[in-house]
Amino acid sequence: MDDASKIDLLRFDLSDLDESVLHTIMELVSDGIWDWNANTGFVYRNPGWYTMLGYTPHSLSNTVLTWESVIHPEDYPQVMALFDDYLEQRSSKYQAEYRCRAHDGSYIWIEDRGYVIARNPDGSVARMIGAHRSIDDKKRLFEQLERRNKSLEAIIEERTRELSRVNHQLQIQLDENRRLAETDALTLVANRYRLEQALPLACERAQRFREPLSLIAMDIDDFKDINDRYGHAFGDAALVQVVQAVKRCERDGDLLVRWGGDEFIMILPNTSLADAVLMAETVRRGLSDLLPVGDFQITMSFGVVQRLEDETQEVLMDRADQALYRSKMAGKNVICN
C-alpha cells in the first residue's frame, strides 16, 4: 500500500470515529493534537498541545481564535496562505513551521501538519485534524552550531546586542508613528487609514472561518447646524462627547472608526445582524444622556448591515452607507438595516 492510500485510509477511519472516542485517544498522545469541527467552530486540543506552550490543559477557548492569537505576527500571513491553499484544495497538504507564543510570552518554533477528514457536500471543510510538534530544540541547536563556526563569535554577539537595543528603540518609535498614523487626532479613535487596513482583514477572517461580520454606519444628526450656529469648537466638543458615549458600548474586538466629519463606522466581528442592531440601539439610547449643545439634543442615525457570503468590502461599505441614508430619510435618530 502506497503512502497516499495510507493517508486516505487514515482519513476514512478517523472520520468514522465518534468524537468522544477520538478525543479520548488524543488525550493519551504527547504531541499537540487538534481537531477542528469547521461547521460548529469548535476546536478540541489535547493536553499535549497546552503543555507544549506552558498552559494548563484545556484552559483556553476552544475556537480558532486561540490558534490565531498565539501565532507570531510576522509568521501569520504565510501560515494563513498555506492553510487557505490546503482548504481550497490548491495544495495537496498542509504543513508549516512557525513561531508560537508560549504562556510566559516567549516564542517557540513548532511544526504544524493537518488533514481534512471530512468535507461538506459543497466541498467546504467539515472537519480537520492535525498536530503541533515543537521543533524549538532543533532550531536552537542549529543556531548554536552556526555560532560555533564563526571565529569572531564574541564580537558578533556584542554587535548583535547593540543592534537589538537599537532595533528595540526603533520599534518603539515605529509603533508610536503607526499609532499616530492610525488615530484620529480629535477623538482619539481609529481613523480612515486604520479602517482601510482593518476591514479587509475582518472580511477575510469572516470568509475563512464562516463567521458573521457586521458594520454599523452612524453619523450625528444636524451636525452642520451645530457648527453653523455655535462654531466649530462646540462641534468638536460634541464629537468628543459622542465618541465617549459610543466607546462605552464597545466590546473587546470591536473597532470604532471616524470615517470623516461626523460619520463613524463600527466593525463588529463574529456578530450577527440582530446583535448589531441591538448594539446600535444601545448606542442610540446612551446618547440621550448627553448634555445638549445649545438648543440641540445630540442624536445619531444608524445603518446596520451583515456581510454576505463572498461579499467584497466595497459592497459591504456601500450597503452600510445606503442603510444610513435610509435612516436619515426616515426622520433621523433611527436604525435601518
Side-chain angles (χ1 to χ4, degrees):
M1 182 181 295
D2 60 24
D3 289 343
S5 299
K6 291 178 182 177
I7 291 173
D8 289 340
L9 180 60
L10 172 64
R11 294 173 181 169
F12 176 81
D13 290 342
L14 289 176
S15 63
D16 284 349
L17 279 178
D18 179 82
E19 273 197 2
S20 62
V21 175
L22 178 58
H23 293 174
T24 300
I25 295 172
M26 290 166 64
E27 292 279 329
L28 303 176
V29 181
S30 59
D31 282 351
I33 310 298
W34 50 267
D35 178 8
W36 174 38
N37 187 326
N39 290 334
T40 65
F42 183 85
V43 182
Y44 173 84
R45 301 176 180 88
N46 76 333
W49 188 92
Y50 290 92
T51 301
M52 180 175 61
L53 295 178
Y55 288 94
T56 302
H58 308 303
S59 60
L60 301 178
S61 174
N62 294 313
T63 67
V64 291
L65 181 59
T66 294
W67 172 50
E68 291 182 282
S69 66
V70 299
I71 299 174
H72 195 290
E74 294 177 1
D75 300 337
Y76 182 89
Q78 178 187 5
V79 173
M80 289 302 141
L82 293 172
F83 190 69
D84 287 344
D85 283 345
Y86 180 64
L87 294 190
E88 300 300 326
Q89 303 183 72
R90 294 188 294 268
S91 174
S92 61
K93 67 177 182 179
Y94 168 65
Q95 180 178 347
E97 293 183 2
Y98 53 90
R99 291 162 289 179
C100 281
R101 189 181 68 252
H103 182 56
D104 63 4
S106 64
Y107 281 90
I108 66 170
W109 280 94
I110 65 105
E111 179 188 65
D112 186 11
R113 296 189 181 196
Y115 297 98
V116 171
I117 61 173
R119 288 186 179 271
N120 297 309
D122 64 359
S124 62
V125 175
R127 191 172 176 193
M128 183 176 179
I129 65 169
H132 288 174
R133 181 171 64 91
S134 174
I135 57 172
D136 201 56
D137 289 343
K138 182 180 73 174
K139 287 281 189 179
R140 293 184 185 278
L141 178 60
F142 181 76
E143 292 172 357
Q144 289 172 3
L145 291 174
E146 281 191 326
R147 286 197 297 269
R148 289 173 183 173
N149 290 333
K150 297 176 182 178
S151 60
L152 300 177
E153 180 180 355
I155 296 175
I156 293 173
E157 288 180 350
E158 177 61 31
R159 290 180 178 176
T160 299
R161 284 193 293 269
E162 177 62 20
L163 181 60
S164 177
R165 185 187 65 80
V166 172
N167 283 343
H168 180 67
Q169 293 175 340
L170 288 174
Q171 189 61 53
I172 292 175
Q173 187 61 52
L174 286 172
D175 290 344
E176 177 62 15
N177 290 345
R178 185 181 297 111
R179 186 190 67 80
L180 292 173
E182 297 177 349
T183 303
D184 177 62
L186 174 64
T187 61
L188 302 182
V189 297
N191 59 15
R192 187 172 187 142
Y193 174 72
R194 178 75 179 96
L195 177 66
E196 291 170 352
Q197 298 179 72
L199 186 56
L201 294 177
C203 290
E204 288 175 10
R205 187 178 187 282
Q207 182 75 18
R208 177 181 297 122
F209 296 114
R210 301 201 297 277
E211 294 180 346
L213 170 68
S214 294
L215 295 186
I216 303 176
M218 60 190 99
D219 73 3
I220 301 174
D221 296 325
D222 302 315
F223 183 70
K224 182 178 183 301
D225 293 342
I226 294 176
N227 276 335
D228 291 345
R229 185 176 300 183
Y230 299 107
H232 288 280
F234 279 87
D236 288 350
L239 283 170
V240 172
Q241 279 194 78
V242 166
V243 165
Q244 291 172 347
V246 176
K247 291 285 286 183
R248 284 194 287 270
C249 304
E250 193 177 25
R251 309 162 304 177
D252 289 342
D254 296 340
L255 180 66
L256 177 62
V257 179
R258 186 182 181 190
W259 178 243
D262 63 323
E263 186 173 352
F264 297 85
I265 297 286
M266 183 177 282
I267 302 176
L268 305 174
N270 201 17
T271 302
S272 67
L273 178 63
D275 288 339
V277 170
L278 289 176
M279 167 72 80
E281 178 59 28
T282 300
V283 173
R284 193 185 71 83
R285 289 198 305 265
L287 294 173
S288 63
D289 296 331
L290 297 182
L291 293 175
V293 179
D295 296 332
F296 289 91
Q297 178 61 49
I298 297 176
T299 62
M300 298 186 83
S301 297
F302 302 84
V304 185
V305 293
Q306 179 180 333
R307 181 181 178 272
L308 304 176
E309 183 73 16
D310 296 323
E311 186 174 36
T312 66
Q313 66 189 63
E314 292 81 9
V315 175
L316 178 63
M317 282 289 294
D318 185 60
R319 287 201 300 116
D321 193 55
Q322 291 174 18
L324 177 60
Y325 177 77
R326 290 195 298 272
S327 71
K328 291 293 188 183
M329 295 299 99
K332 304 175 183 177
N333 193 26
V334 296
I335 301 169
C336 288
N337 56 65

